[in-house]
Amino acid sequence: MAEPSPHELEISCQQILLPDSSVYSVQWIDLPVEAALRATPAFLLQHYFTVVRRCTLGLISPVLEPHGVEFRVTGTRRALLAFSAAQFEADQEGVQAVHLCISGGILVQPGECDNGMFSLLTTIGADRGRVTVQLSDYCPLLLGSRNPSRLRKLCYGMTQSFFHKVVTIRYLASLFRELCGVKARVAVRNVVVRQGTDI
């Protein structure tokens, strides 16, 4: 059987620092409705865990604990990021979501461990669906404080922020391939959802 013709997958992306120097990051893809209907929050979360392991060559492992989820360096008990138990929700507007609230980890600023949320959302419209990855109100250790220096912003942008963007793009591309059965060329489009300073 002939290989499917190449497709282009557009991934919309924004990563910024908000005025309070917390991180806001959002990426999304649009899908045919029939594919989006299979993108349940539980499926999205499990697929994300798989892609994180794959992208880090197994160096980082999501570990499910009774109190939540921890992203650990494999073979250790040190959590890079810790999250409370997953919260699932669905509304009448066709939005389904899973939220992980940040609760700690060595990559979070001391005193900011109860701020920040990682969310995976599926929106079903009349003629298309959308899967969104969102990180909000996150205060990374690399920024140091709510008033980070220019050097700290640069360091964060070149390391942790870059890694998050790469993993998310690979995740969305892998998700598209899984749900649509097509390996697509990826095009990243910068968008403005909220106002802030680009990372």
Side-chain angles (χ1 to χ4, degrees):
M1 187 166 69
E3 291 292 324
S5 58
H7 291 255
E8 183 172 280
L9 173 64
E10 185 175 86
I11 299 179
S12 300
C13 177
Q14 183 183 31
Q15 287 186 300
I16 58 172
L17 290 182
L18 296 177
D20 65 358
S21 293
S22 66
V23 172
Y24 176 76
S25 173
V26 65
Q27 295 83 22
W28 71 77
I29 57 172
D30 290 328
L31 297 167
V33 171
E34 59 272 18
L37 287 171
R38 298 194 298 275
T40 65
F43 173 82
L44 294 180
L45 188 58
Q46 191 57 51
H47 195 73
Y48 185 78
F49 291 163
T50 299
V51 170
V52 168
R53 290 190 194 95
R54 188 186 305 150
C55 285
T56 63
L57 302 178
L59 294 176
I60 297 176
S61 298
V63 178
L64 296 177
E65 294 283 355
H67 56 274
V69 180
E70 293 185 353
F71 285 75
R72 298 177 183 169
V73 177
T74 301
T76 75
R77 296 193 60 81
R78 296 296 301 274
L80 298 175
L81 289 171
F83 301 86
S84 59
Q87 301 173 19
F88 294 87
E89 68 173 15
D91 64 23
Q92 301 298 319
E93 305 299 321
V95 179
Q96 299 182 75
V98 56
H99 305 289
L100 298 176
C101 296
I102 295 174
S103 60
I106 61 176
L107 295 181
V108 184
Q109 291 174 30
E112 301 288 356
C113 290
D114 293 324
N115 292 318
M117 180 181 291
F118 176 75
S119 302
L120 300 170
L121 307 97
T122 300
T123 306
I124 307 295
D127 58 352
R128 66 176 182 177
R130 174 170 290 180
V131 172
T132 302
V133 181
Q134 182 174 274
L135 177 66
S136 56
D137 299 318
Y138 170 49
C139 297
L141 179 65
L142 283 175
L143 291 181
S145 71
R146 291 283 187 164
N147 187 30
S149 66
R150 193 171 297 177
L151 179 60
R152 281 187 175 273
K153 292 178 183 178
L154 180 63
C155 182
Y156 174 73
M158 293 176 63
T159 55
Q160 193 178 341
S161 176
F162 176 78
F163 176 76
H164 174 71
K165 182 176 181 179
V166 168
V167 170
T168 303
I169 289 171
R170 290 187 180 180
Y171 166 68
L172 290 171
S174 173
L175 194 66
F176 183 85
R177 184 167 62 248
E178 181 78 14
L179 294 173
C180 298
V182 175
K183 185 175 182 179
R185 296 190 308 267
V186 172
V188 178
R189 178 174 69 101
N190 292 324
V191 296
V192 177
V193 176
R194 300 182 67 175
Q195 297 300 315
T197 303
D198 289 338
I199 300 173

